[in-house]
């Protein structure tokens, strides 16, 4: 049986990024697209639990493709259930980087995470826009190189990939978590009512070895992620400091 590749995104099913990803993916196996009917960027890992979801066949070139009135994670949940035996979920290619702190908000990464929650491998792919549409033809050989590297190797369960506009190679990078400014910028609507914009500019310097550093140096950043958010160092420290009675109870 051929490899079953489910392609999702958070920019919506009509994004040029999802066509570019599906086109690169089809040389590795059977491709099916299941994606949101409208843009769901920055929706994070939200799932829809209080209203029914609808899935509709939608022609995208000659792909077997479907649109869902839900979040990126909903699309993966429905897609994995409906197809059955999905080997890997690819999410993207997002129009905009998902580096460092952006991973927390990203619907693109959430779609890949949702796959992992369901026991299916997940890969998220993103590239910046910078005014014009990304040059997907230029990116294609690197997308293929990434898939060629990740698909056969089962040790890669969840990987976040960011492609600079003109890549020169691949680089395994850590997440540049850090902080962002989080400025709330006031504005006004035509009726004189207050509006606000939230700014998410990173505040720390770019550290060597991080995803941000890699793309700045023209390298495709590959960052393995995990679902376990436990701070294992803090846990070990707290456990050592816990009163003896507590340690006894935990035995
Ligand atoms: Mn997006």
């Amino acid at each position: 049986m051929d490899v079953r590749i489910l392609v999702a995104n958070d920019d919506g099913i009509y994004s040029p990024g999802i066509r570019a990803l599906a086109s690169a993916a089809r040389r590795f196996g059977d491709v099916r697209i299941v994606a949101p009917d409208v843009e769901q960027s920055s929706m994070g890992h939200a799932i829809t639990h209080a209203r029914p979801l609808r899935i509709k066949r939608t022609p995208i070139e000659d792909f077997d493709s479907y649109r869902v009135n839900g979040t990126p994670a909903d699309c993966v949940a429905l897609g994995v259930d409906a197809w059955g035996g999905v080997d890997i979920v690819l999410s993207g290619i997002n129009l905009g980087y998902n580096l460092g702190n952006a991973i927390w908000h990203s619907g693109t990464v959430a779609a890949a995470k949702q796959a992992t929650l369901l026991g299916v491998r997940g890969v998220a792919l993103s590239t910046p826009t910078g005014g014009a549409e990304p040059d997907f033809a230029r990116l294609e050989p690197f997308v293929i190189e990434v898939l060629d590297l990740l698909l056969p190797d089962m040790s890669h369960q969840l990987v976040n990939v960011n492609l600079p506009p003109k890549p020169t190679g691949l680089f395994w990078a850590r997440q540049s978590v850090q902080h962002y400014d989080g400025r709330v910028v006031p504005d006004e609507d035509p009726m004189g009512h207050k509006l606000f914009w939230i700014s998410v500019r990173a505040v720390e310097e770019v550290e060597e070895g991080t995803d941000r550093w890699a793309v700045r140096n023209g390298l495709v950043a590959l960052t393995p992620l995990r679902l376990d958010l436990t701070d294992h160092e803090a846990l070990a420290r707290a456990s050592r400091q816990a009163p003896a009675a507590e340690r006894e109870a935990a035995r």
Side-chain angles (χ1 to χ4, degrees):
M1 197 182 76
D2 248 1
V3 178
R4 290 193 167 185
I5 305 170
L6 183 71
V7 178
N9 76 351
D10 79 356
D11 290 335
I13 193 155
Y14 302 109
S15 168
I18 201 166
R19 282 202 305 275
L21 181 54
S23 301
R26 75 176 356 162
R27 67 179 63 207
F28 295 92
D30 294 337
V31 170
R32 180 180 287 189
I33 297 174
V34 181
D37 55 359
V38 293
E39 183 172 352
Q40 298 280 331
S41 290
S42 294
M43 287 296 283
H45 206 140
I47 55 164
T48 302
H49 71 96
R51 64 170 175 84
L53 291 166
R54 215 177 274 282
I55 184 163
K56 285 185 180 165
R57 189 180 279 275
T58 303
I60 299 293
E61 296 176 9
D62 60 339
F63 289 106
D64 181 25
S65 45
Y66 304 82
R67 69 182 193 270
V68 173
N69 60 337
T71 65
D74 290 334
C75 293
V76 171
L78 263 61
V80 166
D81 177 71
W83 202 4
V86 171
D87 293 289
I88 193 159
V89 172
L90 306 179
S91 177
I93 300 171
N94 189 60
L95 304 183
Y97 278 136
N98 279 303
L99 299 162
N101 51 263
I103 291 173
W104 288 98
H105 307 300
S106 169
T108 307
V109 177
K113 271 158 55 199
Q114 180 65 25
T116 315
L117 281 176
L118 297 169
V120 177
R121 299 196 291 141
V123 180
L125 300 100
S126 307
T127 197
T129 47
E133 190 174 297
D135 185 351
F136 288 114
R138 183 194 275 268
L139 294 179
E140 190 178 33
F142 292 91
V143 174
I144 290 167
E145 196 179 337
V146 165
L147 297 181
D148 205 29
L149 176 73
L150 298 182
L151 259 71
D153 188 341
M154 296 300 287
S155 68
H156 301 304
Q157 289 294 306
L158 178 60
V159 182
N160 186 36
V161 180
N162 283 278
L163 300 114
K166 298 171 184 175
T168 55
L170 271 48
F171 183 80
W172 285 99
R174 67 189 157 85
Q175 181 189 358
S176 58
V177 185
Q178 315 310 0
H179 306 86
Y180 55 73
D181 59 353
R183 274 196 314 134
V184 178
V185 183
D187 201 351
E188 219 174 63
D189 77 6
M191 278 75 72
H193 300 128
K194 273 225 147 79
L195 297 171
F196 298 93
W197 296 94
I198 299 181
S199 158
V200 293
R201 213 172 291 246
V203 292
E204 282 92 357
E205 289 301 308
V206 176
E207 280 183 276
E208 191 170 341
T210 62
D211 48 9
R212 223 176 275 281
W213 177 88
V215 296
R216 183 172 283 192
N217 286 281
L219 299 166
V220 178
L222 297 101
T223 304
L225 303 177
R226 62 177 184 188
L227 298 180
D228 178 6
L229 295 178
T230 310
D231 181 339
H232 288 278
E233 275 177 37
L235 176 63
R237 198 165 54 240
S239 302
R240 277 196 306 275
Q241 289 163 354
E246 224 174 88
R247 283 204 299 273
E248 203 59 40
R251 287 239 293 249

